[in-house]
Every structure is written in C-alpha cells, then in structure tokens.
Amino acid sequence: MSQENHDVAPQPVKAKAAVRDGRVSLMVVSGVIAAVLAVAALAIPVPYVVESPGPAINTIGKVNGQPVISVTGHDSFPATSGALDLTTVHMTGGLPDSQINIFEALRAWLTPSDTIYPAELIYAPGTSQDAVNSENSAAMTGSQENATAAAFKALGIDYKTVLAVASVPTDGASAGILKPDDVLLAIGGKDITGLPAIEAVLAAGKGAPVEVKVQRGGADKTVTVTPRANKDGKYLLGIALQNKFTFPFTVDITLSNIGGPSAGTMFALGIMDTLTKGGLTGGKHFAGTGTIDPDGNVGAIGGIAQKMVGARNNGADYFLAPAANCGDVVGHVPNGLHVVKVATLKEAYAAVTAIGSGADGSTLPACK
C-alpha cells in the first residue's frame, strides 16, 4: 500500500505546474497581442495636417546650375550677391495618399516650429494629392504671370492684358454658354476694362439677361447670359476669371516641385532686380512671402510662422511679411530675423532698397 501511495502522490504537483505554465503562456500571448495592437494603433492614420518649415529658394540665384529667373529679348543684369528668398511650407497628412499616424501627430504638437490642424480645415473630403498638386501648379503659374505684370508696371514697362474665362462651373449661370479661355470684350454694350466694369453692369441689370461679347478661337461672338444672385444678393455670371497677358519680352521662371501663389511678391522683386542695373539687395540676405496681383498688391498667405523659421534656417536676416499676416507674425519671429511688413510691391521694393543701401531696418514698418 505504501508503494501505491508513493506512486500517486506526485500527480497533483504536476497538475499545479501545468496550471502555472498555462497562465504564463496566456500572459505571454496577451502581452504579444497587446504589443501588436499598440503598434497597429500607432500606424492607424489620424485626420490631421502638419505644417513644417520648407526650403527657401533664392529667386535671384540658381537651382541646379540654372537661373531661377531668366530674360529673353531684353537687357538683364543677373545678381552676383545677396538673396531674395521665396519661402515654403511642407505639408503632410490629411489626404488619402498622404497620411500621418498618432506618433507623427504628437511629435508635431511637441515641435515648436510645426503647426497641426484638423484635416477638414485644410482639405475638402475626398481631395486627392493629384488634385492638390494640380491646383498648386495652376496657382504657381498664375502667380508668376501676376509677378511679371506687377514688376513691369512698377518699372514702367508697357504690356497688354485681357480678362478671360478661367473655368465655368457646371451649375453656374454661364454653363453651356461661356467657355474656358473666352476673352471677355464687352457686357451690356460696354467695353470690359476689368472686373469692376462687369460688376457695374450686372448690378444695374438686377438679374436681367445680358449680352456678353467674347473672342473665341480668334472670332468675336455674342452670347446671352442670365445672371444669378448669390447669398449676398450680388448678381454673378457664374464664371471664374483670369488675366491673360501679352508681354513685350519673355521672363522665364524655372522652378520645380514648388506650388501655390505665395511666392508672387518675391518673384516680382526678383524680376525687378534682374531687369535693373546694380544690386537691389546690397549683398544682404532677404526672404519673404505674399501673393501679388497685377497692380502690385501684396496678399496674405498661410504658414507664415513656418516660413519665417525656414527663412532664418537658410540664413536670411530680413523678412518681408504681408501686412495682412501681422497677426500671425507677432510672437513667432525667430531670433535674429528682422521682419518688415509690406502691403504693396512698391513698399517691398523700397524696404529692400533702403536696407540694401545701408539704412537702419528698424525704422521701417513692423508687425506689432
């Protein structure tokens, strides 16, 4: 009987060991699953867009050995010193083919030079990277043309301009009537000299059908459009407009992988410097941003905090900021960067000329 007791006694010990081994295995498996889920959670895209400082490019310099601005058919005077940098913002996330994860979002929150926004504040739902690239490319082309027009006007160089149809929304008043690239000649029997001329006729007509004379494919054509009122009661033709220019000589701006309209002011300054004798900058390093229209008005842009950081990182000592962006400038100026506010190309040119000639930049308008 004692032998039988000896044989039976170890069995409960083995059962307890098996239980412990099972628990350990379960804990290990649970830990592995938790780790996998944690890694997976970090990889899940989050609906945010991060703005960070992008590169700064000297508009009076060269990229890959080629001048950014070149002129054909007119005397030009390439700069030998100084810089007029356009500034950029690098944007990531918020698009189906460009997304960030929670780790990248948190890193952006903790990086002083980055700004993070909910994606819906930046992009419409369903927007693709291709659509953004296309829009930015078109805006860059328009910006370069406006910059050339503004620079020519500031220098007293004559050119011709007409107002044309850029696009026609399918649900607009002119759908199926006006076409892209139609040059607008007259409305209601009055010559079109600009947007105000169109607005005056439409306001006076109060929604009545109006004859619009256009040039299409080299031939004049008259069509009738019934304007529609928008939510503010303003009558519209339902078209997007663009300026078309005929310049007396060619200004080429060669720059790839940069989009949007915000380089307009720096392009205009670069063109003015290239077309005039002597160095505009006095050898000093300027950077800046701002849209430009053909009349030389400097407009607001986005991401100015990041652009100032990018400018300073690239060695700029002076920064030209749109007056309309002053609220975003204050409190975000990097150490060592002097910011001058400008509302027109004339003011920007005067600021660069003054500082380039040795004037004290602190006497110029600043954001406060």
Side-chain angles (χ1 to χ4, degrees):
M1 291 295 294
S2 61
Q3 182 62 41
E4 290 178 1
N5 290 337
H6 177 73
D7 291 339
V8 173
Q11 291 181 3
V13 175
K14 289 182 179 180
K16 291 180 180 179
V19 171
R20 286 198 300 270
D21 291 345
R23 288 176 178 175
V24 170
S25 298
L26 181 60
M27 292 174 63
V28 171
V29 171
S30 299
V32 170
I33 292 175
V36 170
L37 291 175
V39 171
L42 288 176
I44 294 174
V46 292
Y48 291 98
V49 175
V50 174
E51 288 185 345
S52 56
I57 300 170
N58 184 11
T59 61
I60 55 175
K62 295 182 178 181
V63 174
N64 297 325
Q66 299 296 320
V68 174
I69 297 173
S70 58
V71 175
T72 304
H74 191 277
D75 291 338
S76 60
F77 309 90
T80 57
S81 64
L84 291 168
D85 290 353
L86 65 85
T87 49
T88 64
V89 172
H90 183 62
M91 300 182 70
T92 54
L95 297 172
D97 36 7
S98 174
Q99 298 180 328
I100 62 172
N101 57 41
I102 187 64
F103 176 77
E104 292 167 319
L106 290 173
R107 183 174 60 187
W109 278 112
L110 298 173
T111 303
S113 61
D114 290 357
T115 303
I116 186 167
Y117 299 98
E120 64 267 21
L121 296 182
I122 307 298
Y123 302 118
T127 301
S128 68
Q129 186 66 60
D130 286 344
V132 172
N133 291 342
S134 178
E135 181 179 345
N136 284 341
S137 178
M140 172 61 82
T141 299
S143 173
Q144 293 172 356
E145 292 178 346
N146 284 347
T148 303
F152 279 20
K153 183 173 183 177
L155 295 173
I157 299 172
D158 292 332
Y159 63 90
K160 295 180 180 179
T161 181
V162 294
L163 204 58
V165 177
S167 62
V168 184
T170 56
D171 58 350
S174 295
I177 303 172
L178 292 174
K179 297 182 178 181
D181 295 325
D182 280 350
V183 175
L184 302 176
L185 303 177
I187 183 168
K190 296 183 178 181
D191 290 343
I192 293 176
T193 56
L195 181 58
I198 297 175
E199 292 176 334
V201 170
L202 295 180
K206 298 181 180 180
V210 62
E211 288 189 343
V212 181
K213 184 180 179 180
V214 302
Q215 186 180 75
R216 180 183 299 168
D220 292 353
K221 182 179 180 65
T222 300
V223 299
T224 300
V225 179
T226 301
R228 297 178 189 171
N230 64 7
K231 62 181 180 181
D232 298 321
K234 184 177 181 179
Y235 288 97
L236 305 173
L237 291 177
I239 56 176
L241 299 173
Q242 62 179 330
N243 288 298
K244 283 197 169 186
F245 305 101
T246 302
F247 298 120
F249 55 89
T250 302
V251 175
D252 286 319
I253 299 177
T254 304
L255 203 58
S256 60
N257 300 322
I258 301 292
S262 65
T265 297
M266 300 313 293
F267 281 143
L269 287 172
I271 293 168
M272 293 178 75
D273 192 17
T274 302
L275 293 175
T276 54
K277 291 183 179 180
L280 175 63
T281 67
K284 294 181 172 61
H285 197 149
F286 294 85
T289 188
T291 64
I292 198 81
D293 69 15
D295 292 323
N297 297 304
V298 175
I301 50 78
I304 196 165
Q306 287 73 36
K307 290 179 179 180
M308 290 189 294
V309 171
R312 188 58 181 153
N313 288 345
N314 199 50
D317 298 305
Y318 302 93
F319 190 91
L320 305 175
N325 278 119
C326 273
D328 301 314
V329 168
V330 176
H332 297 95
V333 180
N335 290 332
L337 188 67
H338 184 98
V339 178
V340 179
K341 73 171 182 178
V342 297
T344 65
L345 178 58
K346 182 179 179 180
E347 292 178 2
Y349 185 83
V352 174
T353 301
I355 295 173
S357 299
D360 182 0
S362 64
T363 63
L364 297 173
C367 291
K368 298 181 180 179

